[in-house]
Amino acid sequence: MSTGTVLLVQESATQRAHLSSTLEQSGFSVFQASGASDGVEAARANRPGVVVSDISLSDEDGFALCRSLRMDESLKDIPVLLMTGLSDAEDVIGALECGASGFLLKPFSDEELEARIEFVLSNPIPQFVSTETPVQFNFLEAEHSVQSSREQSLSLLLTTFESAARHHEQVSRETLELKMRIHELERQLGSDAPAEAVPTEPAADAGECPW
């Protein structure tokens, strides 16, 4: 049974209810907010062990929420997990710049949600070090600045790659299973149409990051 306090920030009331119920059944104490501003106020009223926020919110995005927490002296060390489809590599840059702790890649299972929260709660690392010299770098012809601790930045990159690789492996496996079912259906129907060759293993390297 898990323990810990989670602030869940999600615009959709249906999704909030589902995720909250899932976490509470696993032993977490959960309180909720529907937007970035509400999330910051909720964190000030009842400091959570971890914040789990969607990137897409009604007022501001999850990056803005994370930046607001990092600017608050009493809240800046709270781990922040961002829920996203991670369809754009710039999401990773945004997470680094705002000081997020990691991603939850959609769609994710209840088990993955619980495991990621337990990991950040049981492996505390410096989230934000305002006295460090910011790391400046160029990406896609734009200048970026990261002031999160080196440990936090490395952790985010590693967990992001791990999640992306796991999702890529799952998609490859599901694609293979679908091709096998189509091939079997064509065989049973005696289709004269040439069937696509069925691979014996996923064609793509499961460790290759999809973006």
Side-chain angles (χ1 to χ4, degrees), residues 98-122:
C98 73
S101 308
F103 288 110
L104 278 162
L105 268 60
K106 302 177 183 178
F108 50 81
S109 66
D110 294 345
E111 294 76 16
E112 185 176 358
L113 171 64
E114 180 179 350
R116 292 291 294 118
I117 292 175
E118 286 184 336
F119 178 81
V120 297
L121 287 175
S122 59

PDB file of all heavy atoms in Angstrom, residues 98-122:
ATOM      1  N   CYS A  98      11.265  24.745 -16.898  1.00  0.00           N
ATOM      2  CA  CYS A  98      10.405  25.078 -15.758  1.00  0.00           C
ATOM      3  C   CYS A  98      10.776  24.290 -14.502  1.00  0.00           C
ATOM      4  O   CYS A  98      10.276  24.584 -13.417  1.00  0.00           O
ATOM      5  CB  CYS A  98       8.931  24.836 -16.106  1.00  0.00           C
ATOM      6  SG  CYS A  98       8.433  23.113 -16.198  1.00  0.00           S
ATOM      7  N   GLY A  99      11.642  23.280 -14.636  1.00  0.00           N
ATOM      8  CA  GLY A  99      12.084  22.529 -13.468  1.00  0.00           C
ATOM      9  C   GLY A  99      11.220  21.340 -13.121  1.00  0.00           C
ATOM     10  O   GLY A  99      11.158  20.928 -11.960  1.00  0.00           O
ATOM     11  N   ALA A 100      10.533  20.754 -14.119  1.00  0.00           N
ATOM     12  CA  ALA A 100       9.706  19.578 -13.859  1.00  0.00           C
ATOM     13  C   ALA A 100      10.585  18.382 -13.506  1.00  0.00           C
ATOM     14  O   ALA A 100      11.765  18.324 -13.865  1.00  0.00           O
ATOM     15  CB  ALA A 100       8.846  19.252 -15.083  1.00  0.00           C
ATOM     16  N   SER A 101       9.996  17.427 -12.808  1.00  0.00           N
ATOM     17  CA  SER A 101      10.743  16.243 -12.365  1.00  0.00           C
ATOM     18  C   SER A 101      10.661  15.097 -13.355  1.00  0.00           C
ATOM     19  O   SER A 101      11.508  14.208 -13.348  1.00  0.00           O
ATOM     20  CB  SER A 101      10.206  15.775 -11.001  1.00  0.00           C
ATOM     21  OG  SER A 101      10.176  16.840 -10.085  1.00  0.00           O
ATOM     22  N   GLY A 102       9.632  15.097 -14.200  1.00  0.00           N
ATOM     23  CA  GLY A 102       9.482  13.999 -15.155  1.00  0.00           C
ATOM     24  C   GLY A 102       8.133  14.054 -15.831  1.00  0.00           C
ATOM     25  O   GLY A 102       7.307  14.942 -15.574  1.00  0.00           O
ATOM     26  N   PHE A 103       7.913  13.080 -16.718  1.00  0.00           N
ATOM     27  CA  PHE A 103       6.679  12.995 -17.478  1.00  0.00           C
ATOM     28  C   PHE A 103       5.922  11.722 -17.134  1.00  0.00           C
ATOM     29  O   PHE A 103       6.499  10.717 -16.711  1.00  0.00           O
ATOM     30  CB  PHE A 103       6.974  12.952 -18.985  1.00  0.00           C
ATOM     31  CG  PHE A 103       7.442  14.255 -19.569  1.00  0.00           C
ATOM     32  CD1 PHE A 103       8.743  14.408 -19.989  1.00  0.00           C
ATOM     33  CD2 PHE A 103       6.572  15.327 -19.722  1.00  0.00           C
ATOM     34  CE1 PHE A 103       9.189  15.591 -20.535  1.00  0.00           C
ATOM     35  CE2 PHE A 103       6.999  16.521 -20.265  1.00  0.00           C
ATOM     36  CZ  PHE A 103       8.302  16.652 -20.680  1.00  0.00           C
ATOM     37  N   LEU A 104       4.615  11.779 -17.349  1.00  0.00           N
ATOM     38  CA  LEU A 104       3.766  10.597 -17.427  1.00  0.00           C
ATOM     39  C   LEU A 104       3.219  10.596 -18.842  1.00  0.00           C
ATOM     40  O   LEU A 104       2.408  11.456 -19.212  1.00  0.00           O
ATOM     41  CB  LEU A 104       2.636  10.661 -16.400  1.00  0.00           C
ATOM     42  CG  LEU A 104       2.991  10.220 -14.985  1.00  0.00           C
ATOM     43  CD1 LEU A 104       1.951  10.729 -13.988  1.00  0.00           C
ATOM     44  CD2 LEU A 104       3.083   8.699 -14.920  1.00  0.00           C
ATOM     45  N   LEU A 105       3.697   9.680 -19.672  1.00  0.00           N
ATOM     46  CA  LEU A 105       3.320   9.668 -21.077  1.00  0.00           C
ATOM     47  C   LEU A 105       1.961   9.020 -21.263  1.00  0.00           C
ATOM     48  O   LEU A 105       1.733   7.887 -20.851  1.00  0.00           O
ATOM     49  CB  LEU A 105       4.372   8.913 -21.904  1.00  0.00           C
ATOM     50  CG  LEU A 105       5.495   9.768 -22.501  1.00  0.00           C
ATOM     51  CD1 LEU A 105       6.272  10.471 -21.411  1.00  0.00           C
ATOM     52  CD2 LEU A 105       6.429   8.911 -23.349  1.00  0.00           C
ATOM     53  N   LYS A 106       1.056   9.756 -21.896  1.00  0.00           N
ATOM     54  CA  LYS A 106      -0.279   9.247 -22.185  1.00  0.00           C
ATOM     55  C   LYS A 106      -0.227   8.330 -23.411  1.00  0.00           C
ATOM     56  O   LYS A 106       0.498   8.627 -24.366  1.00  0.00           O
ATOM     57  CB  LYS A 106      -1.248  10.396 -22.470  1.00  0.00           C
ATOM     58  CG  LYS A 106      -1.384  11.414 -21.353  1.00  0.00           C
ATOM     59  CD  LYS A 106      -2.316  12.528 -21.809  1.00  0.00           C
ATOM     60  CE  LYS A 106      -2.450  13.626 -20.784  1.00  0.00           C
ATOM     61  NZ  LYS A 106      -3.315  14.728 -21.268  1.00  0.00           N
ATOM     62  N   PRO A 107      -1.016   7.285 -23.423  1.00  0.00           N
ATOM     63  CA  PRO A 107      -1.836   6.791 -22.308  1.00  0.00           C
ATOM     64  C   PRO A 107      -0.963   5.988 -21.343  1.00  0.00           C
ATOM     65  O   PRO A 107      -0.065   5.270 -21.762  1.00  0.00           O
ATOM     66  CB  PRO A 107      -2.853   5.875 -22.996  1.00  0.00           C
ATOM     67  CG  PRO A 107      -2.117   5.364 -24.198  1.00  0.00           C
ATOM     68  CD  PRO A 107      -1.208   6.479 -24.649  1.00  0.00           C
ATOM     69  N   PHE A 108      -1.203   6.128 -20.058  1.00  0.00           N
ATOM     70  CA  PHE A 108      -0.433   5.387 -19.071  1.00  0.00           C
ATOM     71  C   PHE A 108      -1.385   4.539 -18.232  1.00  0.00           C
ATOM     72  O   PHE A 108      -2.562   4.862 -18.071  1.00  0.00           O
ATOM     73  CB  PHE A 108       0.384   6.323 -18.175  1.00  0.00           C
ATOM     74  CG  PHE A 108      -0.407   7.449 -17.572  1.00  0.00           C
ATOM     75  CD1 PHE A 108      -1.193   7.264 -16.438  1.00  0.00           C
ATOM     76  CD2 PHE A 108      -0.365   8.725 -18.138  1.00  0.00           C
ATOM     77  CE1 PHE A 108      -1.919   8.302 -15.883  1.00  0.00           C
ATOM     78  CE2 PHE A 108      -1.086   9.773 -17.590  1.00  0.00           C
ATOM     79  CZ  PHE A 108      -1.863   9.565 -16.463  1.00  0.00           C
ATOM     80  N   SER A 109      -0.861   3.457 -17.705  1.00  0.00           N
ATOM     81  CA  SER A 109      -1.666   2.553 -16.895  1.00  0.00           C
ATOM     82  C   SER A 109      -1.720   3.050 -15.453  1.00  0.00           C
ATOM     83  O   SER A 109      -0.914   3.888 -15.034  1.00  0.00           O
ATOM     84  CB  SER A 109      -1.074   1.135 -16.930  1.00  0.00           C
ATOM     85  OG  SER A 109       0.203   1.126 -16.301  1.00  0.00           O
ATOM     86  N   ASP A 110      -2.673   2.510 -14.690  1.00  0.00           N
ATOM     87  CA  ASP A 110      -2.758   2.856 -13.273  1.00  0.00           C
ATOM     88  C   ASP A 110      -1.472   2.454 -12.550  1.00  0.00           C
ATOM     89  O   ASP A 110      -0.990   3.168 -11.666  1.00  0.00           O
ATOM     90  CB  ASP A 110      -3.949   2.149 -12.627  1.00  0.00           C
ATOM     91  CG  ASP A 110      -5.281   2.642 -13.179  1.00  0.00           C
ATOM     92  OD1 ASP A 110      -5.296   3.702 -13.841  1.00  0.00           O
ATOM     93  OD2 ASP A 110      -6.300   1.963 -12.949  1.00  0.00           O
ATOM     94  N   GLU A 111      -0.913   1.312 -12.953  1.00  0.00           N
ATOM     95  CA  GLU A 111       0.319   0.825 -12.335  1.00  0.00           C
ATOM     96  C   GLU A 111       1.489   1.760 -12.620  1.00  0.00           C
ATOM     97  O   GLU A 111       2.322   2.019 -11.738  1.00  0.00           O
ATOM     98  CB  GLU A 111       0.645  -0.582 -12.821  1.00  0.00           C
ATOM     99  CG  GLU A 111      -0.336  -1.666 -12.400  1.00  0.00           C
ATOM    100  CD  GLU A 111      -1.633  -1.644 -13.178  1.00  0.00           C
ATOM    101  OE1 GLU A 111      -1.688  -0.992 -14.249  1.00  0.00           O
ATOM    102  OE2 GLU A 111      -2.611  -2.282 -12.722  1.00  0.00           O
ATOM    103  N   GLU A 112       1.557   2.275 -13.846  1.00  0.00           N
ATOM    104  CA  GLU A 112       2.638   3.195 -14.196  1.00  0.00           C
ATOM    105  C   GLU A 112       2.502   4.513 -13.437  1.00  0.00           C
ATOM    106  O   GLU A 112       3.495   5.075 -12.960  1.00  0.00           O
ATOM    107  CB  GLU A 112       2.630   3.466 -15.697  1.00  0.00           C
ATOM    108  CG  GLU A 112       3.792   4.325 -16.181  1.00  0.00           C
ATOM    109  CD  GLU A 112       3.827   4.495 -17.678  1.00  0.00           C
ATOM    110  OE1 GLU A 112       2.960   3.916 -18.366  1.00  0.00           O
ATOM    111  OE2 GLU A 112       4.715   5.220 -18.164  1.00  0.00           O
ATOM    112  N   LEU A 113       1.283   4.996 -13.293  1.00  0.00           N
ATOM    113  CA  LEU A 113       1.031   6.222 -12.533  1.00  0.00           C
ATOM    114  C   LEU A 113       1.514   6.066 -11.096  1.00  0.00           C
ATOM    115  O   LEU A 113       2.252   6.917 -10.576  1.00  0.00           O
ATOM    116  CB  LEU A 113      -0.463   6.539 -12.550  1.00  0.00           C
ATOM    117  CG  LEU A 113      -0.951   7.666 -11.632  1.00  0.00           C
ATOM    118  CD1 LEU A 113      -0.348   9.005 -12.056  1.00  0.00           C
ATOM    119  CD2 LEU A 113      -2.478   7.740 -11.641  1.00  0.00           C
ATOM    120  N   GLU A 114       1.127   4.974 -10.469  1.00  0.00           N
ATOM    121  CA  GLU A 114       1.515   4.734  -9.085  1.00  0.00           C
ATOM    122  C   GLU A 114       3.034   4.577  -8.954  1.00  0.00           C
ATOM    123  O   GLU A 114       3.648   5.129  -8.031  1.00  0.00           O
ATOM    124  CB  GLU A 114       0.827   3.482  -8.555  1.00  0.00           C
ATOM    125  CG  GLU A 114       1.168   3.155  -7.113  1.00  0.00           C
ATOM    126  CD  GLU A 114       0.455   1.908  -6.613  1.00  0.00           C
ATOM    127  OE1 GLU A 114      -0.442   1.416  -7.310  1.00  0.00           O
ATOM    128  OE2 GLU A 114       0.817   1.420  -5.522  1.00  0.00           O
ATOM    129  N   ALA A 115       3.635   3.857  -9.894  1.00  0.00           N
ATOM    130  CA  ALA A 115       5.078   3.615  -9.826  1.00  0.00           C
ATOM    131  C   ALA A 115       5.877   4.903  -9.976  1.00  0.00           C
ATOM    132  O   ALA A 115       6.869   5.109  -9.266  1.00  0.00           O
ATOM    133  CB  ALA A 115       5.484   2.615 -10.909  1.00  0.00           C
ATOM    134  N   ARG A 116       5.458   5.800 -10.890  1.00  0.00           N
ATOM    135  CA  ARG A 116       6.203   7.047 -11.093  1.00  0.00           C
ATOM    136  C   ARG A 116       6.108   7.940  -9.860  1.00  0.00           C
ATOM    137  O   ARG A 116       7.075   8.579  -9.454  1.00  0.00           O
ATOM    138  CB  ARG A 116       5.658   7.789 -12.324  1.00  0.00           C
ATOM    139  CG  ARG A 116       5.931   7.094 -13.627  1.00  0.00           C
ATOM    140  CD  ARG A 116       7.417   7.108 -14.006  1.00  0.00           C
ATOM    141  NE  ARG A 116       7.874   8.467 -14.273  1.00  0.00           N
ATOM    142  CZ  ARG A 116       8.816   9.079 -13.577  1.00  0.00           C
ATOM    143  NH1 ARG A 116       9.420   8.468 -12.568  1.00  0.00           N
ATOM    144  NH2 ARG A 116       9.196  10.299 -13.894  1.00  0.00           N
ATOM    145  N   ILE A 117       4.914   7.980  -9.251  1.00  0.00           N
ATOM    146  CA  ILE A 117       4.748   8.801  -8.048  1.00  0.00           C
ATOM    147  C   ILE A 117       5.587   8.236  -6.908  1.00  0.00           C
ATOM    148  O   ILE A 117       6.271   8.985  -6.187  1.00  0.00           O
ATOM    149  CB  ILE A 117       3.264   8.875  -7.651  1.00  0.00           C
ATOM    150  CG1 ILE A 117       2.490   9.671  -8.707  1.00  0.00           C
ATOM    151  CG2 ILE A 117       3.102   9.520  -6.273  1.00  0.00           C
ATOM    152  CD1 ILE A 117       0.997   9.703  -8.476  1.00  0.00           C
ATOM    153  N   GLU A 118       5.545   6.935  -6.726  1.00  0.00           N
ATOM    154  CA  GLU A 118       6.331   6.311  -5.662  1.00  0.00           C
ATOM    155  C   GLU A 118       7.820   6.551  -5.867  1.00  0.00           C
ATOM    156  O   GLU A 118       8.570   6.758  -4.908  1.00  0.00           O
ATOM    157  CB  GLU A 118       6.041   4.810  -5.602  1.00  0.00           C
ATOM    158  CG  GLU A 118       4.683   4.467  -5.013  1.00  0.00           C
ATOM    159  CD  GLU A 118       4.474   2.976  -4.890  1.00  0.00           C
ATOM    160  OE1 GLU A 118       5.119   2.218  -5.641  1.00  0.00           O
ATOM    161  OE2 GLU A 118       3.666   2.579  -4.034  1.00  0.00           O
ATOM    162  N   PHE A 119       8.250   6.555  -7.129  1.00  0.00           N
ATOM    163  CA  PHE A 119       9.673   6.748  -7.420  1.00  0.00           C
ATOM    164  C   PHE A 119      10.133   8.135  -6.994  1.00  0.00           C
ATOM    165  O   PHE A 119      11.167   8.279  -6.328  1.00  0.00           O
ATOM    166  CB  PHE A 119       9.941   6.553  -8.908  1.00  0.00           C
ATOM    167  CG  PHE A 119      11.380   6.789  -9.292  1.00  0.00           C
ATOM    168  CD1 PHE A 119      12.333   5.808  -9.107  1.00  0.00           C
ATOM    169  CD2 PHE A 119      11.777   8.014  -9.820  1.00  0.00           C
ATOM    170  CE1 PHE A 119      13.668   6.030  -9.437  1.00  0.00           C
ATOM    171  CE2 PHE A 119      13.109   8.245 -10.155  1.00  0.00           C
ATOM    172  CZ  PHE A 119      14.045   7.250  -9.959  1.00  0.00           C
ATOM    173  N   VAL A 120       9.388   9.182  -7.374  1.00  0.00           N
ATOM    174  CA  VAL A 120       9.833  10.538  -7.036  1.00  0.00           C
ATOM    175  C   VAL A 120       9.709  10.810  -5.534  1.00  0.00           C
ATOM    176  O   VAL A 120      10.474  11.609  -4.974  1.00  0.00           O
ATOM    177  CB  VAL A 120       9.062  11.613  -7.834  1.00  0.00           C
ATOM    178  CG1 VAL A 120       9.331  11.471  -9.315  1.00  0.00           C
ATOM    179  CG2 VAL A 120       7.570  11.564  -7.550  1.00  0.00           C
ATOM    180  N   LEU A 121       8.758  10.137  -4.882  1.00  0.00           N
ATOM    181  CA  LEU A 121       8.614  10.320  -3.439  1.00  0.00           C
ATOM    182  C   LEU A 121       9.727   9.625  -2.663  1.00  0.00           C
ATOM    183  O   LEU A 121      10.183  10.116  -1.629  1.00  0.00           O
ATOM    184  CB  LEU A 121       7.257   9.782  -2.968  1.00  0.00           C
ATOM    185  CG  LEU A 121       6.029  10.616  -3.342  1.00  0.00           C
ATOM    186  CD1 LEU A 121       4.754   9.906  -2.906  1.00  0.00           C
ATOM    187  CD2 LEU A 121       6.097  12.008  -2.721  1.00  0.00           C
ATOM    188  N   SER A 122      10.187   8.490  -3.179  1.00  0.00           N
ATOM    189  CA  SER A 122      11.208   7.715  -2.465  1.00  0.00           C
ATOM    190  C   SER A 122      12.626   8.044  -2.910  1.00  0.00           C
ATOM    191  O   SER A 122      13.593   7.574  -2.307  1.00  0.00           O
ATOM    192  CB  SER A 122      10.955   6.212  -2.647  1.00  0.00           C
ATOM    193  OG  SER A 122      10.980   5.856  -4.015  1.00  0.00           O
TER     194      SER A 122
END
